Amino acid sequence: MKFWRVPLDADDIQVSKGIVYILEDRCKGCGYCIEFCPRHVLEFSSKINAKGYHLPAVIKAEECLSCHYCEIICPEFAIYSIEIPCESTENTKGIEIITKTQKTESTK
Amino acid sequence: MAKKTPKHPLDDLIRKDRIPHIWCPGCGIGTIFSSCLTAIKESGIDLKKFVMISGIGCSGRAAGYVNLDSFHTTHGRAIPFATGVKLANPELNVIVFSGDGDLFAIGGNHFIHAARRNVDITVICVNNFNYGMTGGQVAATTPNMAKTTTTPFGNPETPFNLPLMAYAAGATYVARWTMLHSRDLTESISEAILKNGFSFIEALSPCPINYGRRNKLKPLDQLKLYQEKTIIKNDAKPTELDINFEKGVVLGKFVDIERPTYGDSYNKICRPDKLE
Ligand code: SF4
Ligand code: SF4
Ligand code: SF4
């Protein structure tokens, strides 16, 4: 993440991560989720659904913070994010913190 | 798709067999409806203790999509119906979800009298500035000079300032948000549900098919207007709340006061034996 000024506790903060799900049959292609996602995770795809609407697609899955904004702005109940529990992600920051404390303990 | 996809967090509150709903692509009603459902869910109150009541119009279809007890009433009569439900069964949380035409034109008198009596209900008004369902005619909320099918040269009238009207009539909770401010909107609806008294929330919403098209506002342009031309000012004076996007539209919570509800006063005076 780009910071204007790096917070002092940036290393300790675990940034949440999420997986975005799109229910293609419900989408009406308004593009609100694409426009207002703060992390630009979504983009219009060339795919259309049965009713002929252009669907959004996840283009930068690893950027999703699970902020749920796409979910709450969507008028169609067609998109939502589920938070990935920290342990099971490749959230390297979290892993780093764990290894650091392990090291300090073993050097004692 | 290796794993089963989890369901949408609001799926248990909507009648899934009726989704996709009839609202046009880019219409804001769905977002406001979703905010309302989130507030209901987050309240932690037993879902059997909620009733949603709608009148006629695009927004009025909400009652048919919610997976709660609901009534789709005749045009303009959502509030009298809700008043009856609340008086007959005071335990229920009664939510009126309807549009500006239904609540403030044909149903305008019911609104002011329910606010005056302080009936303990929550009224959510989706304001899209025109009569969407019938083809985009001028409404009591259409901004001055805006184009509609019946005002092709621009609307010569002055629209209602809805929060001012609610305040003047005696509402105990008054707020205004847009569908873009959906987090604040959800929070306001949660407060309004818990509020003892007549609560009114105006939620501005794009109607891209009618209002938007005639005023050359694409759905995203309208949302940008909500982002750039609004000012959040809690406790703003109700007289300053007229809708003028050139000047900036004020959003926020404007009224949150206490006053005996109609149910309380009625019991005290007419049914003293019912009081413990
Ligand atoms: S949850 Fe937030 S970050 Fe993830 S896709 Fe939706 S809007 Fe973007
Ligand atoms: S906001 Fe919803 S309906 Fe609109 S494009 Fe995104 S998923 Fe589709
Ligand atoms: S006519 Fe307007 S208000 Fe009605 S569903 Fe379509 S966009 Fe929404």
Side-chain angles (χ1 to χ4, degrees):
Chain A
M1 202 183 318
K2 257 193 246 149
F3 289 109
W4 169 68
R5 189 164 61 83
V6 180
L8 294 173
D9 57 354
D11 279 351
D12 302 339
I13 288 179
Q14 297 200 347
V15 180
S16 58
K17 279 183 133 262
I19 305 180
V20 206
Y21 295 95
I22 300 165
L23 300 173
E24 301 190 343
D25 308 342
R26 291 184 183 176
C27 175
K28 289 186 191 154
C30 66
Y32 292 168
C33 56
I34 300 171
E35 182 70 24
F36 292 101
C37 166
R39 306 281 284 178
H40 311 291
V41 170
L42 304 155
E43 196 42 80
F44 269 120
S45 71
S46 51
K47 210 169 147 193
I48 51 173
N49 67 7
K51 296 218 166 162
Y53 294 116
H54 268 283
L55 297 166
V58 178
I59 49 154
K60 287 193 271 177
E62 67 295 342
E63 289 284 305
C64 176
L65 297 175
S66 201
C67 71
H68 301 289
Y69 195 72
C70 53
E71 177 182 319
I72 60 179
I73 194 78
C74 174
E76 307 291 333
F77 305 94
I79 188 167
Y80 53 100
S81 70
I82 304 278
E83 196 165 327
I84 314 172
C86 276
E87 299 83 56
S88 69
T89 67
E90 61 285 57
N91 183 339
T92 44
K93 254 188 195 154
I95 295 163
E96 256 170 32
I97 292 164
I98 294 164
T99 46
K100 249 189 239 161
T101 45
Q102 275 168 350
K103 256 187 219 153
T104 44
E105 258 167 25
S106 58
T107 48
K108 255 194 242 168
Chain B
M1 296 268 155
K3 270 196 278 174
K4 222 178 116 224
T5 38
K7 41 176 214 162
H8 189 284
L10 291 172
D11 265 7
D12 44 347
L13 272 164
I14 49 177
R15 296 187 199 188
K16 281 193 305 229
D17 52 323
R18 310 189 75 184
I19 302 287
H21 48 58
I22 57 142
W23 298 316
C24 310
C27 174
I29 300 172
T31 305
I32 298 163
F33 182 51
S34 158
S35 279
C36 179
L37 298 184
T38 306
I40 290 175
K41 197 168 177 175
E42 283 175 358
S43 73
I45 299 169
D46 180 4
L47 294 180
K48 292 209 174 71
K49 298 275 178 238
F50 279 100
V51 185
M52 188 182 278
I53 297 166
S54 298
I56 299 297
C58 295
S59 311
R61 302 300 282 255
Y65 295 123
V66 70
N67 197 12
L68 299 170
D69 283 339
S70 63
F71 293 95
H72 191 181
T73 67
T74 45
H75 202 358
R77 314 299 167 218
I79 289 181
F81 206 91
T83 305
V85 170
K86 185 69 191 179
L87 289 183
N89 196 344
E91 275 180 24
L92 296 176
N93 290 285
V94 183
I95 299 178
V96 171
F97 189 102
S98 217
D100 49 302
D102 184 72
L103 287 168
F104 288 97
I106 187 162
N109 263 316
H110 297 304
F111 180 88
I112 55 175
H113 291 288
R116 171 181 64 81
R117 293 182 177 127
N118 199 21
V119 184
D120 181 16
I121 58 175
T122 300
V123 178
I124 300 164
C125 172
V126 178
N127 184 359
N128 58 16
F129 307 138
N130 77 140
Y131 287 102
M133 182 170 268
T134 49
Q137 294 83 357
V138 70
T141 45
T142 307
N144 181 245
M145 287 318 287
K147 292 202 170 74
T148 67
T149 33
T150 45
T151 56
F153 310 116
N155 179 21
E157 300 175 18
T158 305
F160 272 139
N161 168 346
L162 300 180
L164 172 64
M165 187 169 168
Y167 163 76
T172 53
Y173 184 100
V174 180
R176 174 198 277 154
W177 297 103
T178 77
M179 56 79 81
L180 188 74
H181 299 78
S182 35
R183 284 217 159 92
D184 303 279
L185 176 65
T186 305
E187 207 174 297
S188 255
I189 300 175
S190 301
E191 285 182 2
I193 290 172
L194 298 177
K195 181 85 192 174
N196 234 344
F198 187 89
S199 315
F200 171 63
I201 297 163
E202 176 184 17
L204 307 185
S205 164
C207 167
I209 298 304
N210 283 311
Y211 187 83
R213 190 157 52 96
R214 295 206 172 78
N215 291 286
K216 301 209 169 22
L217 279 168
K218 294 219 171 74
L220 275 174
D221 298 342
Q222 216 156 332
L223 264 60
K224 294 251 161 75
L225 211 59
Y226 292 167
Q227 191 172 26
E228 287 157 15
K229 295 284 179 187
T230 54
I231 309 148
I232 298 178
K233 196 169 156 201
N234 290 319
D235 300 317
K237 267 207 247 142
T239 44
E240 292 168 0
L241 302 175
D242 51 312
I243 290 187
N244 178 343
F245 279 102
E246 269 155 40
K247 200 177 77 180
V249 172
V250 180
L251 308 176
K253 175 167 90 177
F254 312 121
V255 178
D256 192 354
I257 53 165
E258 300 297 329
R259 176 162 100 73
T261 65
Y262 182 56
D264 294 344
S265 314
Y266 187 84
N267 282 342
K268 210 159 128 196
I269 291 152
C270 309
R271 292 194 289 208
D273 49 310
K274 292 256 167 152
L275 294 173
E276 286 105 280

